[in-house]
Every structure is written in structure tokens, then in C-alpha cells.
Amino acid sequence: MLSTLKQQVCDANRALETSGLVKLTWGNVSGIDRTSGLWCIKPSGIPYADLTPDHLVVLDLDGNITDHGSQLRPSSDTKTHLHLYQNFPTIGGITHTHSPYATAFAQAGRELPCLGTTHADHFFGTVPLARPLTPEEIEADYELHTGVSIVERFRELNLNPLETPAILLSHHAPFTWGKTPAAGLDNSTALEVCAQMAIHTLALNPSATTIPAHILNKHHSRKHGPDAYYGQKDCAK
Amino acid sequence: MLSTLKQQVCDANRALETSGLVKLTWGNVSGIDRTSGLWCIKPSGIPYADLTPDHLVVLDLDGNITDHGSQLRPSSDTKTHLHLYQNFPTIGGITHTHSPYATAFAQAGRELPCLGTTHADHFFGTVPLARPLTPEEIEADYELHTGVSIVERFRELNLNPLETPAILLSHHAPFTWGKTPAAGLDNSTALEVCAQMAIHTLALNPSATTIPAHILNKHHSRKHGPDAYYGQKDCAK
Amino acid sequence: MLSTLKQQVCDANRALETSGLVKLTWGNVSGIDRTSGLWCIKPSGIPYADLTPDHLVVLDLDGNITDHGSQLRPSSDTKTHLHLYQNFPTIGGITHTHSPYATAFAQAGRELPCLGTTHADHFFGTVPLARPLTPEEIEADYELHTGVSIVERFRELNLNPLETPAILLSHHAPFTWGKTPAAGLDNSTALEVCAQMAIHTLALNPSATTIPAHILNKHHSRKHGPDAYYGQKDCAK
Amino acid sequence: MLSTLKQQVCDANRALETSGLVKLTWGNVSGIDRTSGLWCIKPSGIPYADLTPDHLVVLDLDGNITDHGSQLRPSSDTKTHLHLYQNFPTIGGITHTHSPYATAFAQAGRELPCLGTTHADHFFGTVPLARPLTPEEIEADYELHTGVSIVERFRELNLNPLETPAILLSHHAPFTWGKTPAAGLDNSTALEVCAQMAIHTLALNPSATTIPAHILNKHHSRKHGPDAYYGQKDCAK
């Protein structure tokens, strides 16, 4: 089970680079096995092309490193991932990137509005923006409080993490997630293209309106609802 | 005949991904054999790189599935394709993408004006925008009414589908078509680049004028008219 | 001599596609052997990847086809190339593309100002814009008058074609040229990147100033002047 | 030692092209061995794909060529590199590109503000802009005075070159550097993406604020400070 997970997480990390979503080592993917409560994440600063499943750092849901064979430090964002796994029990994989268009919304301090069906197929409405952290939070534990601010924002807005599997962090960049590591990565791809489309849309029409609720509901339910007819029946998306 | 068509449609679907027009599984190509009235389309949610001709779903012009050997669901957009084949009898292939620049025009609720000869070589004037669907239409049959709104707009404007082989759907994305599946795909490529050029043009000159009628007519007729001299004589474009 | 030229022109046409400057068949390269007065050009509408030197159409400086072994029509832009070879006797190769950023300036009806040294290294000041053609010119001979409008604009501005090896055509796209087919293609690459940089520059600072004359002169002369010290001594650029 | 350096500098020059940062021959990388005071740089105008370590020109810190086996002229920017090695004794490699987004800031005459953590991870605050050179400086020695203007700006702002390893040159383009040739190249990659993000951010929010000081300090120190925990302990970044 764990070796399958490690392979999936390794594959998704390597796909980060070939997808064009990240440059240098600006991103990481993790994945969790909910049965054992064990999860694994990319080590910090390792080039994607060099990554093998054995490089991954395995942790439990208390944040203890349980398998550290390769003696590599986990991603510097590990505590953010941990907090999301602890508080969003339905998610199975998390992806963090600094993809340029999504990061531009984060840097501009703007939520990503749902302007069309591309967005509606992946995110059920606006992708929210988490508040900036306070100096005290950064001093005490920056990465933990990054996770806290994400969960806080989802609770304020009463959002379901699997319906809106993404957030923008002020002055920082996006996090996405999904049922599996691969699904979380797909949501990073979707978020980046939706952000690109939104920037061009707003340039063409600064008062472009968000998609009407009946289209949003239709697109979301045809892909994710109980009577979904997008994709094949046995494809967990 | 059908096996040739299936190969062409499979090739065009696979080219969607390598062309950069689509990410994930956001697009599909279909093609029709007008002699038999049979047509085929990509199954829903299947990665392009895995697609073979045997995966394609074959239908008749009443929308009945006639060959379902691989037991895969057809694209969720199948009824839109069907309605276009029923109402645009000269077209032989249809492509749907969410290519970012063309989608930005659709999301902005703007038609794509003909600003230059690149556009004129492929689309005889403005690429129109279909109206948003009503909640009732979406509830009754979303994909059918998407097709209805396209045909309705072409009839309102008295457009010839082979002269203007593209439309933008409000809050959604483009559809293109052509005499063959490959020609429909080429028109998706052309539409995306024309939309990119138009966005940059309007940034440089918000009151940029459309191409004068005499240049539009010249470019269109040199490529598509009875005395066309673009390309080689035996090249059906 | 001609077989060398044909190989160079074939190579440059094939590089058009891999360079990203053109999509579909939206561009062409020609080259001339000034000793014999023979020149060759891409046939119309042939995919770049399929092109071999034998496909090229050879013409003389009166526009007569002298070698038509492959029986392919020359590029529809042939008369434009011919007029430039007739009137710009120092040029040895011509490239036409619809590269998106340069085309945006053409569609916007704006010259490309010299905003920095990247531009100055290739184009000695503003890249000019040719006037739109009249309906009469288009009716009489569109491609010939395209060439006429280019030469007219260079004479009005008293420009040296090798110092400013590019023009933008209103509502159309750019032409570039150089001492050789490869140099003309390099100037298409340079023009596209300079146009991209200019669009971003003008977005950041709509009143960005052109490069001061002393920097323009310095950059141009260090690369192209009699005491040029850019590149290696035996490199004809 | 020198052969290792030459291999590193050759590799970094070749990576310039595959990274997408440069077109044609618009960029160069150099590297220095501080023990011997010898450094090497790309020859001028040589295509990256053809470059081997033997092509590099080796110089000392007085600017004398000490190894000129291949008889190639060094980069036309050699005196700029030399002045930086003379005045920034902690740097080990320098990269010059005309990457489009960073160049747009240079052409617009704007510094690159620190709008987010991607920037903060690489550059400790604003990336400065050097003043334009005077006609007299250009006449006397253009490339030397380019270096002079960079060092002058860093001294005016009291910046540490390894904390802010980049500068924008008015009407020109960026220079970056780092402890090693590879690190200098990585900073060119980072600068280009940060400039792209900044352009999109400013389009979305023209009054976007720079990152708060406590986040800037946190991100910089977690990657570069004495208690850095980004990356692995033995990775010199």
C-alpha cells in the first residue's frame, strides 16, 4: 500500500516539472493512505528529475517521521500539508506550486472568480483567498499557520474541500488537493489555466460576470454529482 | 470507409493534446461519413495519449449508438455535435476545446472581431457569440440546447458554416468545424491564435478597426473562393 | 550554387515551424543567388515537415518560373518577395510569418518603437508600418502592391533595408529579410521577441521612451558597423 | 579546477537556450575560480548548442586573456562581467540574458518590486534598476561603464550582492549572479518568472502592495539565513 502511494507521489512530483507548472524546485506533492494514517512528501530542494520513491519522507498524522531511510529533510511546507490532512479528512493528495497566473491572483490579493465552465468543471465557485498571516503567526510557526489560515477560510465560507479543491495564499501562491495525489495535481493544472483565462477575460471585459448559478450547478453535477455522466463510470476523478 | 474515418478522428483527438490546445481531457473531435450518415466521437474522460480508433463511439444521425464495442460512454458533448451534424449538412468534422485565448473571449461575452488577414484566411468576418442558455434549457437538455443556440445564431446572422467555421459559447468555450476532422482541428488552432493576436491588438489599440471589406474578401477568396490560388489545386482545405 | 541555396531555403522554412513563429502553413522563406539572379520560394500550403529542396519553386528576377520539376504552385506571396528582391538589391533572403506579437502591432496599426538594446541589435530604430492598400490595388494585384507599399515606405523614410530588415503590414503581419535566408529568419525571431517585450513594456509604462540615440548607435555599430566587435570576425550576420 | 569550472560554465551556457530564457545568441554565462583569480566566459555570437568547454575564453582579474586556444573573441559583455567580479568578491558566476518579462521592466524603467514569496525566496526585496549611461560613458567604454553603473547602484542602496543577486539595466536587460555559475543561471530563471508574475499581478491590481517585511524576512531566512531549513544541509545554493 505504502509503496503504491510512494510511486504515485513520486510520479506526481516528477510531473510537476514536465507539466510546466513549476520552475527550479518551486513545488511539491504529497499523498496519504487514510487506512494507516501514513503520508509521504517530497524532500526539500531535490530536483524533480532525480526523484525516486525512496527519496520521499514518510510521516504519520502527528507529524512524526516514520521512514527516513534516505535521511533527507521533508519539504519546508510539510506542516502545511499535515494541517490540511488533519482537518480535511476526505482529501488524499495535496499539490503546492508557484504557477505564474494563479500566483498573480494570490499576489494581487484577489480571489479567482468562476467565469466559465472550465472553472466550474473543477471548482464549485470562487477559489478563495486566505488572509495574510500576522507577524506573530510567522514567528511562532509559519508553515503551520499557513495551514491554519487555509482551514479557517474554508470554515468561514462553509466550503467542502473536495468541491472547491484549491486556495490562494496572499502574497504567496496556490495550494490544491484532491482524492488522490494525481487528482490534486490535475487541480493545479486546472487552476493555472483558469487563472490564465481569467486574466485575459478581465483584460477584455473588466466587469465580466461570473457564471450563472444554473450553469455552475449543471457543470459541477455532470462531472461530480451522484448522476455524473462525464467520464467513464469506473473513473474516480 | 468507417475505419478511415475512425483513424482520422483518433489522430485529430490525439493531436489536440500535442497542439497545446487542451489540458487534461478538455476537448474532443468528431467526424462524419455523410454517405452512411455514421459518425464517431471521442469517449468521455479518456486521456488522449491512450486513445485508439477502437475506443471511438459510433453513432447514427438520430443519435443512436451503432458500434459500442469498447463499452465507453461517448463525450458528454455528444448531443451538441449531433445537432450540428443534423443542421450543418456541409460539415464533416467538429472540434471542441477550451483553448485559453478563445475561451477568454467567450467568458468576456465578446465576439471575436476580424482584425487582420490571419483571421480572414480562416473565418469570413466576426466569429459570433452564442447567447447564454436559459435555466429551463439547461434543465431539459444542456448539450442539445448548446447545439440549438449555435444553429440559432448562425441562422440569425445568415452565416455559412463553412465560411465561418467557429463559434464562441457564452461562459463556456469555442466549437469549430470543417469539411474534415483535420480541417475542424486546424480551425481550432487558427481560432486560438487569432484570439491571442486580438487580445494583444486590443491592448495596444483598444479602438483597433476590423479589416476593410475589400481585404477580407480578397483573403477569403484567394484561399476559399472558386479561383482560389492559395495551396495546391488538389488540396481540399 | 542553386542546390546550396535550395537547401538553405528548405532548412529555413522547416525551422519556421520548430521555432514557434508559425502555425499551420502561415509563413514562408525565400532566398536568392544574386550572381545568377535565380531565387526560390516555398510552395503554397505544403506542411513544413514534409518539405524537401526539390519542392521549392525556382524563379528569375522577372518572375518567370525556371524550375518547376515538382509542379507545385509557389507561395501565394511570391510577387511580394519578387518586388523586394527587385528593389532591395542587397538582401539575400526574405521571411514572412504571422507571428502573434508582431502581428498584433500590425493589426493595431502601430509601428514598433525601439525600446531597448534587444531591438537596437537587430533593427536600427523604429520598425515601420506600411499603409493599407487601396481597393484598386488589391483588385489589380494584391501581392505585387503589398511589395510596392513596403518599398514605398522605405523610400519615404529613407531607410536602408539591411539596417532595418523588417516591416509591419497594416491589418496583416510582418516581413523580414537579411543577407541570407537564415539571417532573414533570425530577424523574424528577433522581431517577434522585440514585439513581445514592447507589449509588456507598454503595459508597465504606456509612456516608455525609445532608446536614446547614443545607445542605439552604439549597439548597432558594435554588431553591424565597420568596427563591429560582436560575434566572430568571419561570421557574416 | 579550471577544467571543472569550464565544464560548469559551458553547461550553464547551453542551459540558457534549453531553459527558454534566450533566443538566438542573446545571453552569456561566466564563472570564476576565486583561488586562482581566473574566470571564463562564452565567446561572442557562438550558437549554444555548438559550445564546448574548449570554446570558452579564460581571463584573469585584470582582464587579460590567459587561454585563447580556440582564438575566439570573448562575449562583447566581457568588461561588464570583469567589473562585477572585481567589485563583488563573493560572487562566483554571472548570467546575462534578454529574457522578455525581465527586459520589459528594464525597458519600462521600473524596478521589480517584491510582490510575493517566489521573489522573496531569491531576491531580498526590490530588484534595483541601474541608471542609463551618459553619452560620454558609452563613447569611452560602454561595457565597462555598464558594470560601473551596476556597482554604483548597489553601493547607493547598500545592497549585498548575494542577497539581491540581480539588476535591471535601463533600456537594456537584466544581469544576475550567484555563488556558482549554476546559481547565477537559476537566479535568471527566478527573475524571469518573478517579472512575469509581477506583470500579471499589476494588471490585476495596479496598486498591489509589496510583501510585508516579516514575510520577506521569513522566506529569505528559511532559505538563505544561518538557520535555513529549505533544501538539504549540504546543498550550497
Side-chain angles (χ1 to χ4, degrees):
Chain A
M1 187 72 187
L2 194 58
S3 72
T4 304
L5 179 70
K6 285 167 91 168
Q7 189 64 53
Q8 291 171 340
V9 172
C10 180
D11 290 347
N13 273 292
R14 293 174 66 109
L16 269 184
E17 186 169 55
T18 51
S19 68
L21 291 173
V22 306
K23 298 280 186 182
L24 303 175
T25 56
W26 298 347
N28 44 70
V29 179
S30 68
I32 191 166
D33 168 23
R34 288 289 179 184
T35 307
S36 65
L38 295 178
W39 62 287
C40 60
I41 191 166
K42 181 179 177 290
S44 185
I46 300 294
Y48 301 99
D50 299 344
L51 201 68
T52 68
D54 287 343
H55 288 133
L56 298 175
V57 183
V58 181
L59 300 100
D60 64 23
L61 273 169
D62 295 320
N64 302 306
I65 293 178
T66 66
D67 174 358
H68 206 161
S70 59
Q71 297 297 319
L72 294 169
R73 281 178 183 164
S75 164
S76 53
D77 299 308
T78 294
K79 286 188 184 172
T80 310
H81 289 247
L82 174 63
H83 194 74
L84 296 182
Y85 285 127
Q86 289 171 336
N87 287 275
F88 293 166
T90 57
I91 70 175
I94 299 171
T95 297
H96 173 48
T97 80
H98 289 224
S99 63
Y101 288 102
T103 299
F105 274 88
Q107 292 190 157
R110 289 180 68 159
E111 300 173 326
L112 182 66
C114 182
L115 297 172
T117 63
T118 323
H119 185 122
D121 279 339
H122 291 269
F123 310 105
F124 190 45
T126 301
V127 172
L129 177 77
R131 64 170 174 79
L133 302 187
T134 65
E136 293 71 26
E137 287 173 321
I138 288 174
E139 174 67 22
D141 195 328
Y142 175 51
E143 292 80 10
L144 167 62
H145 285 103
T146 298
V148 167
S149 74
I150 296 171
V151 172
E152 176 189 301
R153 189 76 185 127
F154 267 68
R155 297 206 170 137
E156 283 170 358
L157 298 168
N158 197 27
L159 295 176
N160 176 335
L162 282 186
E163 288 184 347
T164 307
I167 196 156
L168 302 168
L169 304 176
S170 296
H171 294 297
H172 188 170
F175 272 79
T176 67
W177 47 79
K179 283 186 186 169
T180 64
L185 175 62
D186 280 357
N187 287 330
S188 282
T189 297
L191 182 69
E192 180 64 1
V193 182
C194 290
Q196 181 191 0
M197 290 173 175
I199 284 179
H200 300 324
T201 301
L202 293 168
L204 286 168
N205 182 358
S207 55
T209 54
T210 53
I211 199 171
H214 55 274
I215 307 183
L216 172 61
N217 290 332
K218 176 66 183 179
H219 261 265
H220 199 264
S221 67
R222 82 172 190 169
K223 195 158 182 177
H224 302 285
D227 301 318
Y229 56 95
Y230 183 96
Q232 306 302 323
K233 280 176 193 165
D234 56 352
C235 288
K237 186 69 182 184
Chain B
M1 187 70 187
L2 194 59
S3 72
T4 305
L5 179 70
K6 285 168 91 167
Q7 189 64 54
Q8 291 172 340
V9 172
C10 180
D11 289 348
N13 273 292
R14 293 174 66 109
L16 270 184
E17 187 169 54
T18 51
S19 68
L21 291 172
V22 306
K23 297 281 185 180
L24 304 175
T25 56
W26 299 346
N28 45 70
V29 179
S30 69
I32 190 166
D33 167 24
R34 288 287 180 185
T35 308
S36 64
L38 295 178
W39 62 287
C40 60
I41 191 164
K42 180 179 178 291
S44 185
I46 301 294
Y48 301 100
D50 299 344
L51 201 69
T52 68
D54 288 343
H55 288 132
L56 298 174
V57 183
V58 181
L59 300 99
D60 64 23
L61 272 169
D62 295 320
N64 302 306
I65 293 179
T66 65
D67 174 358
H68 206 161
S70 58
Q71 298 296 319
L72 294 169
R73 282 178 182 164
S75 164
S76 54
D77 300 308
T78 294
K79 286 188 184 173
T80 310
H81 289 247
L82 174 63
H83 194 74
L84 296 183
Y85 285 127
Q86 289 171 335
N87 287 276
F88 293 166
T90 57
I91 70 174
I94 299 172
T95 297
H96 174 48
T97 80
H98 289 224
S99 63
Y101 288 101
T103 298
F105 274 88
Q107 292 190 156
R110 289 181 69 161
E111 301 172 325
L112 182 66
C114 181
L115 297 172
T117 63
T118 323
H119 185 122
D121 280 339
H122 291 269
F123 310 106
F124 190 44
T126 301
V127 172
L129 178 77
R131 65 170 173 78
L133 301 187
T134 66
E136 292 72 26
E137 288 173 321
I138 287 174
E139 173 69 20
D141 194 328
Y142 175 50
E143 292 81 9
L144 167 63
H145 285 103
T146 298
V148 168
S149 75
I150 296 171
V151 173
E152 175 189 300
R153 189 76 185 126
F154 267 68
R155 297 205 170 137
E156 284 171 357
L157 297 168
N158 197 27
L159 294 176
N160 175 335
L162 282 186
E163 288 184 348
T164 307
I167 197 155
L168 302 167
L169 304 176
S170 296
H171 293 298
H172 187 170
F175 272 79
T176 67
W177 48 78
K179 283 186 186 169
T180 64
L185 175 62
D186 281 356
N187 287 330
S188 282
T189 298
L191 183 68
E192 180 64 1
V193 182
C194 290
Q196 181 191 358
M197 289 174 176
I199 284 179
H200 300 323
T201 301
L202 293 168
L204 286 168
N205 182 358
S207 55
T209 54
T210 54
I211 199 171
H214 55 274
I215 307 183
L216 172 60
N217 291 331
K218 176 65 183 178
H219 261 264
H220 199 264
S221 66
R222 82 173 192 168
K223 195 157 183 177
H224 303 285
D227 301 318
Y229 56 95
Y230 183 96
Q232 307 301 324
K233 280 175 192 165
D234 56 352
C235 287
K237 186 70 182 186
Chain C
M1 186 70 185
L2 195 58
S3 72
T4 304
L5 179 69
K6 286 167 90 167
Q7 189 65 54
Q8 291 171 341
V9 172
C10 180
D11 289 348
N13 272 292
R14 293 174 65 109
L16 269 184
E17 187 169 54
T18 50
S19 69
L21 291 172
V22 306
K23 297 283 186 179
L24 304 174
T25 56
W26 300 346
N28 44 70
V29 179
S30 69
I32 191 166
D33 168 24
R34 288 286 179 186
T35 307
S36 64
L38 295 178
W39 62 287
C40 61
I41 191 166
K42 181 179 177 291
S44 185
I46 301 294
Y48 301 99
D50 298 344
L51 200 69
T52 68
D54 288 344
H55 288 135
L56 298 175
V57 183
V58 182
L59 300 100
D60 65 22
L61 272 169
D62 295 321
N64 302 306
I65 294 178
T66 65
D67 174 359
H68 206 162
S70 58
Q71 297 297 320
L72 294 170
R73 282 178 181 163
S75 164
S76 53
D77 299 309
T78 295
K79 286 188 183 175
T80 310
H81 289 246
L82 175 63
H83 193 74
L84 296 183
Y85 285 127
Q86 289 172 336
N87 287 276
F88 293 166
T90 57
I91 70 174
I94 299 172
T95 296
H96 174 48
T97 80
H98 288 225
S99 63
Y101 289 102
T103 298
F105 274 88
Q107 293 190 155
R110 290 181 68 159
E111 302 172 325
L112 182 66
C114 181
L115 297 172
T117 62
T118 324
H119 185 123
D121 279 339
H122 291 268
F123 311 105
F124 190 44
T126 301
V127 172
L129 178 76
R131 64 171 173 78
L133 302 187
T134 65
E136 293 72 27
E137 288 173 322
I138 287 174
E139 172 69 21
D141 195 328
Y142 175 50
E143 292 80 9
L144 167 62
H145 286 104
T146 298
V148 168
S149 75
I150 297 171
V151 173
E152 176 189 300
R153 189 75 186 128
F154 267 67
R155 296 205 171 138
E156 284 170 357
L157 298 168
N158 197 27
L159 295 176
N160 176 335
L162 282 186
E163 288 184 348
T164 308
I167 196 156
L168 302 168
L169 303 177
S170 296
H171 293 297
H172 187 169
F175 272 79
T176 66
W177 47 79
K179 284 186 185 168
T180 64
L185 175 62
D186 280 356
N187 287 330
S188 282
T189 298
L191 183 68
E192 180 64 1
V193 182
C194 290
Q196 181 191 0
M197 289 173 176
I199 283 179
H200 300 323
T201 301
L202 293 167
L204 286 168
N205 182 358
S207 55
T209 54
T210 54
I211 197 171
H214 56 274
I215 306 182
L216 172 60
N217 291 331
K218 176 65 183 179
H219 261 265
H220 199 265
S221 67
R222 82 173 190 167
K223 194 157 183 179
H224 303 285
D227 300 319
Y229 55 96
Y230 183 96
Q232 305 302 322
K233 281 176 194 165
D234 56 352
C235 287
K237 186 69 184 182
Chain D
M1 187 72 186
L2 195 58
S3 72
T4 303
L5 180 70
K6 286 167 90 167
Q7 189 64 55
Q8 291 171 341
V9 172
C10 180
D11 290 347
N13 273 291
R14 293 174 66 109
L16 269 184
E17 187 169 54
T18 50
S19 69
L21 291 173
V22 306
K23 297 281 186 181
L24 303 175
T25 57
W26 299 346
N28 44 70
V29 179
S30 69
I32 191 166
D33 167 24
R34 288 287 178 185
T35 308
S36 65
L38 296 178
W39 61 288
C40 60
I41 190 166
K42 180 178 177 291
S44 185
I46 301 294
Y48 300 100
D50 299 345
L51 201 69
T52 68
D54 288 343
H55 288 134
L56 298 176
V57 183
V58 181
L59 300 100
D60 65 21
L61 273 169
D62 295 320
N64 302 305
I65 294 178
T66 66
D67 175 357
H68 207 162
S70 58
Q71 297 297 320
L72 294 169
R73 281 178 183 165
S75 164
S76 53
D77 299 309
T78 295
K79 286 187 182 173
T80 310
H81 289 246
L82 175 62
H83 193 75
L84 296 182
Y85 285 126
Q86 289 171 337
N87 288 276
F88 293 165
T90 56
I91 70 174
I94 299 171
T95 296
H96 174 48
T97 80
H98 288 223
S99 63
Y101 288 101
T103 299
F105 274 88
Q107 293 190 156
R110 289 180 68 159
E111 302 173 325
L112 182 66
C114 181
L115 297 172
T117 62
T118 324
H119 185 122
D121 279 340
H122 291 269
F123 310 106
F124 190 45
T126 302
V127 172
L129 177 77
R131 64 170 173 80
L133 302 187
T134 66
E136 294 70 27
E137 288 172 321
I138 287 173
E139 173 68 22
D141 194 327
Y142 174 51
E143 292 80 9
L144 168 61
H145 286 103
T146 298
V148 168
S149 74
I150 296 171
V151 173
E152 177 188 300
R153 189 77 185 126
F154 267 68
R155 295 203 172 139
E156 283 170 0
L157 297 168
N158 197 26
L159 295 176
N160 176 336
L162 282 186
E163 288 184 346
T164 308
I167 196 155
L168 302 167
L169 303 176
S170 296
H171 294 297
H172 188 169
F175 272 79
T176 66
W177 47 80
K179 283 186 185 169
T180 64
L185 175 62
D186 280 356
N187 287 330
S188 283
T189 298
L191 183 69
E192 179 65 1
V193 181
C194 290
Q196 180 191 0
M197 289 172 176
I199 284 178
H200 300 323
T201 302
L202 294 167
L204 286 168
N205 182 358
S207 55
T209 54
T210 53
I211 197 171
H214 54 274
I215 307 182
L216 172 60
N217 291 332
K218 176 65 183 179
H219 261 265
H220 199 265
S221 66
R222 82 172 191 169
K223 194 158 183 178
H224 302 285
D227 300 319
Y229 55 94
Y230 182 95
Q232 306 303 322
K233 280 175 194 166
D234 56 352
C235 288
K237 186 68 184 185

